[in-house]
Amino acid sequence: MARTFLEPRSVAIVGVSTSSAQAYKAGGRAVLEHLRVYGYQGDVTVVHPSATEVDDRRAVPSLRDIGHVPDVVVVAVPARHVLGVLQECADIGVTQTLVLTAGFADMGPDGLALEQSLLDFASEHGIAMVGPNSTGLVTVRSGLAMSMTSVLTEGEPIAPGGLAVIAQSGAIGSTVVERARLAGVGISHIVSTGNQRDMDIPDFVAFFAEHPDVDTVALYVESIRDGVLFSQAVERLHAAGKRLVAYLGGRTDAGEQAAASHTGKIAGRGALELGLLRALGVTVVDDPDDLWVLGAVRTTTTSTPFPRRWGMVAYSGGMAVLATEQLASAGVVFPALSQQTLGKVKERSPQFVAAHNPLDVGPGSMPHDFRSYLSAVAADPAVEALCVPLPMGARGWNQQSVDDVLTVMDESGKPFVVLWYGGYALRPYIEQLRARGVLVAEKPSDLGRLVRALLGPERTTTGEAAVVDHCGAGSPSAKGGAAALQRLAAHGVDVVAMRVLGDDPAAVAKAAAELGYPVVLKIGDEDVAHRTELGLVTVGLRSEDAVVSALGVMRERAGRAGVPGTRQWLLQAMATGGVELVLTVRNAGRLGVFGSIGLGGAAVEVLRDVESVPLPCDEETLRRALSRLRTADLFFGFRGSDPVDLGWVHHTLHRMADLLHTARLREIEVNPALVDGGGGVVVDALFVPDISG
């Protein structure tokens, strides 16, 4: 269906003003104008109740009077009249509509109900819908400017190129396109999904995977409706050797609230969506401008992680310093250069005692020797990508610098990144580099941000992490205690050795001796959530007397806390060593099932340092998620300790996910699990049932 929307042979527009005043060129009238300006060659019919012609285009009073079935009907009438237009579409067999009209879910409960009536009718009659609240669809090469956005006619026409832009927000999408146009970056398509209640982002991503004009897809998204469909579309795009660059609006709590008021985003999903994007290998950016900057980059590494081992050659020492600081903080590694590379460098400049990386060859290398140095470093087997920091343009070497970079890039086949810190005079040269797929940063801070997006937040020693809410005991329906641990153990999860007992002190003391000291005693009732805060957990008990005494004290505390008289007590072997983890699995509806992991115990409340992955996943995806944590060093061997057993964590998350499904739960939280290099055990757990029906 996406193909017909973007490559229609005929279009009808319902809702076109007959006024020629500039102020009225909005909605359907703007679409009509843009189709004319961009030279769309398909059949265009205007539907107007009284006019017979608008801007030299035939006008008819209704869709029934067209005489043929248009491929796409553009709807730009007030919200209360849209259903009537859809009824006409059904009468004549139209199957695809583009609804520009706003005033539906974006306007609150009444608008949502009206929108649902449209969706129900369209579904019943087999009508696919883009929108409502879309600004339109554009295919640049064919002139299909079926959009009301003013970016199409304000300024120079949009040049064709390899970047397809999909935006849930028409305003953001238009701004991204305008910024790309000003920078000389060509566009293949523009898609505004609007409220995306029918035709959705995956429909267009999958279409672009097969389209020969598309090299990269730039996506502004506030809500991923269906995690499975989205994943399948992205995997098709990557399989075609193309990259998805995405900006996720609403990844923070405040951003989610803003997105909810905009397009109906479900609160609490932003961090999970971010985890999904990262697990799929999507390039996630932190600035919408980076959508078109990275979208213009073409490399041979679209389906694999961007390389981290870089070389650098500069003829300005200051520029080399700026670039090195930014790249190092972004996770770039500068490997030592080989003796062979040193020999090539010394052929041109014997004063180089060692070929250090980064390599500053000084301004004396221009204009004749710089290319040789660049070629030598590019040929080094330890170097996987190259950065060339260039100054403003000393002595008119701008074109020479461009030629050197492009020549060596073609010879080496390795990706090149240029930091060119200057002014407007550099624009023609930067456009040449971008036209060939070179990533160009125009400020040092841009370089760091862009490369962090390319490499992803995975790290070895430093980095950033997303914050994700965990399944907390604050949920009124949460169940824990002995029953939760027993169900986990029965489902193949390693749980600490334990006994579930009644209120008999002698039986508790006997069980403690059988487990072996030291032991932990805690109340085991499933409805008691805040055991530690209530003083109903005692650790490190090393004798029968200590166990009996602790039981007596906690029985009194339980009485004061209002815990019923018939109680369960949970006696556990005291697990020590390893790292305390919080492990959560959560059913996020159509988005999918997600596992979250982070530092456990009380630290999860303080640090909120948790990463999420879609389940099922492989161990490498889980490892990369762990590496994004601020506390990552604790998981991978800190000060000589063993790394945590990633296989145990992987197995446990998947067993929890399986139990989530079979027991019809919404969330399971394990906190803590104690994990070392040889496995782990679960110490405590909470279940939240699925009460959605």
Side-chain angles (χ1 to χ4, degrees):
M1 286 188 286
R3 180 177 298 279
T4 304
F5 272 113
L6 291 169
E7 298 177 358
R9 294 166 298 177
S10 58
V11 175
I13 310 172
V14 184
V16 178
S17 169
T18 57
S19 173
S20 60
Q22 185 68 30
Y24 288 92
K25 289 190 177 179
R29 184 57 183 263
V31 173
L32 187 64
E33 170 78 0
H34 296 156
L35 289 170
R36 180 188 64 79
V37 169
Y38 278 80
Y40 173 64
Q41 296 300 303
D43 183 82
V44 179
T45 304
V46 174
V47 176
H48 192 279
S50 58
T52 58
E53 183 180 281
V54 179
D55 282 356
D56 300 324
R57 297 282 190 180
R58 180 171 73 104
V60 297
S62 76
L63 289 170
R64 301 180 184 92
D65 299 310
I66 293 178
H68 66 272
V69 179
D71 286 340
V72 178
V73 171
V74 180
V75 184
V77 299
R80 65 184 183 278
H81 297 309
V82 173
L83 183 58
V85 176
L86 293 184
Q87 290 168 342
E88 284 193 33
C89 289
D91 289 345
I92 67 171
V94 171
T95 59
Q96 303 209 149
T97 59
L98 167 61
V99 182
L100 306 182
T101 309
F104 293 98
D106 45 299
M107 297 301 291
D110 291 342
L112 178 61
L114 181 58
E115 182 176 293
Q116 189 60 51
S117 70
L118 302 183
L119 294 168
D120 292 343
F121 182 87
S123 176
E124 181 181 348
H125 292 84
I127 300 173
M129 182 192 306
V130 174
N133 198 23
S134 168
T135 57
L137 305 169
V138 177
T139 301
V140 176
R141 291 190 188 278
S142 69
L144 178 77
M146 194 167 59
S147 170
M148 62 181 179
T149 177
S150 61
V151 72
L152 293 170
T153 47
E154 289 186 358
E156 294 294 321
I158 295 171
L163 180 62
V165 177
I166 305 174
Q168 196 170 339
S169 162
I172 298 298
S174 297
T175 302
V176 169
V177 170
E178 173 68 3
R179 300 278 290 170
R181 174 172 62 183
L182 292 173
V185 174
I187 303 293
S188 65
H189 301 81
I190 308 168
V191 174
S192 167
T193 60
N195 291 8
Q196 62 178 36
R197 294 292 300 278
D198 183 21
M199 290 294 290
D200 200 354
I201 289 166
D203 297 303
F204 294 101
V205 171
F207 171 69
F208 292 141
E210 311 300 329
H211 201 290
D213 289 345
V214 177
D215 297 319
T216 304
V217 177
L219 172 64
Y220 173 84
V221 57
E222 294 172 354
S223 178
I224 300 173
R225 286 200 305 155
D226 191 311
V228 172
L229 291 179
F230 184 85
S231 299
Q232 291 171 345
V234 173
E235 287 164 0
R236 286 180 62 179
L237 189 76
H238 288 171
K242 303 179 183 184
R243 180 188 294 114
L244 179 64
V245 182
Y247 182 95
L248 176 62
R251 70 183 78 173
T252 63
D253 292 344
E256 283 184 334
Q257 292 177 14
S261 64
H262 185 200
T263 52
K265 185 182 182 73
I266 299 174
R269 289 165 55 108
L272 300 182
E273 290 167 339
L274 183 61
L276 177 62
L277 291 171
R278 287 173 169 165
L280 289 170
V282 173
T283 302
V284 181
V285 300
D286 292 325
D287 189 311
D289 250 7
D290 297 344
L291 290 172
W292 63 263
V293 176
L294 291 178
V297 177
R298 289 187 293 281
T299 76
T300 59
T301 60
T302 49
S303 59
T304 58
F306 201 88
R308 291 177 178 268
R309 296 169 63 82
W310 289 29
M312 182 189 299
V313 183
Y315 61 82
S316 162
M319 291 299 299
V321 169
L322 291 177
T324 300
E325 290 177 340
Q326 291 292 329
L327 294 177
S329 67
V332 169
V333 176
F334 296 97
L337 301 178
S338 68
Q339 289 299 311
Q340 185 178 7
T341 302
L342 171 60
K344 292 179 180 178
V345 169
K346 294 184 70 173
E347 287 176 6
R348 290 277 180 172
S349 185
Q351 71 267 25
F352 281 105
V353 177
H356 294 293
N357 184 24
L359 180 64
D360 175 15
V361 295
S365 64
M366 291 295 290
H368 303 296
D369 296 327
F370 186 72
R371 183 180 300 181
S372 298
Y373 296 132
L374 196 58
S375 181
V377 174
D380 194 295
V383 171
E384 300 172 323
L386 284 94
C387 178
V388 184
L390 297 171
M392 176 64 189
R395 306 180 187 176
W397 293 334
N398 292 337
Q399 189 60 52
Q400 180 69 50
S401 298
V402 170
D403 294 342
D404 289 348
V405 167
L406 294 180
T407 297
V408 178
M409 182 181 72
D410 290 342
E411 291 174 352
S412 68
K414 296 180 179 180
F416 270 63
V417 175
V418 170
L419 169 62
W420 212 335
Y421 190 28
Y424 188 78
L426 297 176
R427 183 54 52 83
Y429 307 103
I430 290 174
E431 288 183 2
Q432 291 181 57
L433 293 170
R434 284 182 172 147
R436 293 287 305 281
V438 177
L439 171 59
V440 182
E442 298 184 58
K443 294 189 300 183
S445 59
D446 291 349
L447 177 67
R449 190 184 66 251
L450 289 165
V451 173
R452 274 191 294 274
L454 271 180
L455 299 183
E458 294 83 7
R459 63 192 181 92
T460 53
T461 54
T462 60
E464 300 174 350
V467 175
V468 182
D469 285 336
H470 68 289
C471 166
S475 172
S477 59
K479 306 292 184 183
L485 292 172
Q486 288 172 324
R487 293 182 75 178
L488 285 171
H491 213 74
V493 174
D494 293 322
V495 174
V496 68
M498 66 182 192
R499 300 285 189 276
V500 181
L501 304 154
D503 236 356
D504 181 6
V508 173
K510 179 181 177 182
E514 292 172 350
L515 279 178
Y517 296 105
V519 294
V520 176
L521 182 64
K522 62 180 73 171
I523 195 164
D525 298 47
E526 68 175 10
D527 293 318
V528 180
H530 299 281
R531 295 169 178 80
T532 302
E533 291 87 339
L534 294 173
L536 300 179
V537 178
T538 306
V539 301
L541 300 173
R542 298 179 178 275
S543 68
E544 178 179 331
D545 289 343
V547 169
V548 172
S549 174
L551 176 62
V553 170
M554 288 194 290
R555 289 169 70 182
E556 293 181 5
R557 290 173 180 168
R560 291 196 299 270
V563 178
T566 302
R567 308 181 188 103
Q568 280 187 332
W569 294 98
L570 180 59
L571 192 70
Q572 295 176 318
M574 187 168 173
T576 59
V579 179
E580 283 194 355
L581 302 184
V582 57
L583 304 176
T584 304
V585 293
R586 175 182 174 189
N587 184 347
R590 292 180 65 188
L591 187 63
V593 174
F594 286 77
S596 301
I597 183 169
L599 202 61
V604 69
E605 300 285 351
V606 177
L607 299 177
R608 296 177 59 84
D609 189 21
V610 181
E611 273 289 329
S612 298
V613 293
L615 296 177
C617 73
D618 56 25
E619 285 193 24
E620 175 58 21
T621 299
L622 183 60
R623 186 202 64 77
R624 288 191 288 112
L626 277 172
S627 76
R628 294 193 289 264
L629 293 166
R630 296 192 302 274
T631 51
D633 288 342
L634 296 176
F635 297 84
F636 293 105
F638 183 67
R639 292 190 174 181
S641 64
D642 291 333
V644 299
D645 186 341
L646 188 61
W648 185 91
V649 175
H650 182 264
H651 171 79
T652 301
L653 281 175
H654 284 81
R655 295 311 300 157
M656 290 167 62
D658 187 67
L659 178 59
L660 188 85
H661 173 72
T662 58
R664 303 187 68 175
L665 300 171
R666 179 165 60 88
E667 295 180 70
I668 299 175
E669 180 192 84
V670 163
N671 185 23
L674 289 175
V675 188
D676 59 20
V681 290
V682 171
V683 175
D684 213 343
L686 283 171
F687 290 0
V688 178
D690 186 356
I691 57 174
S692 62

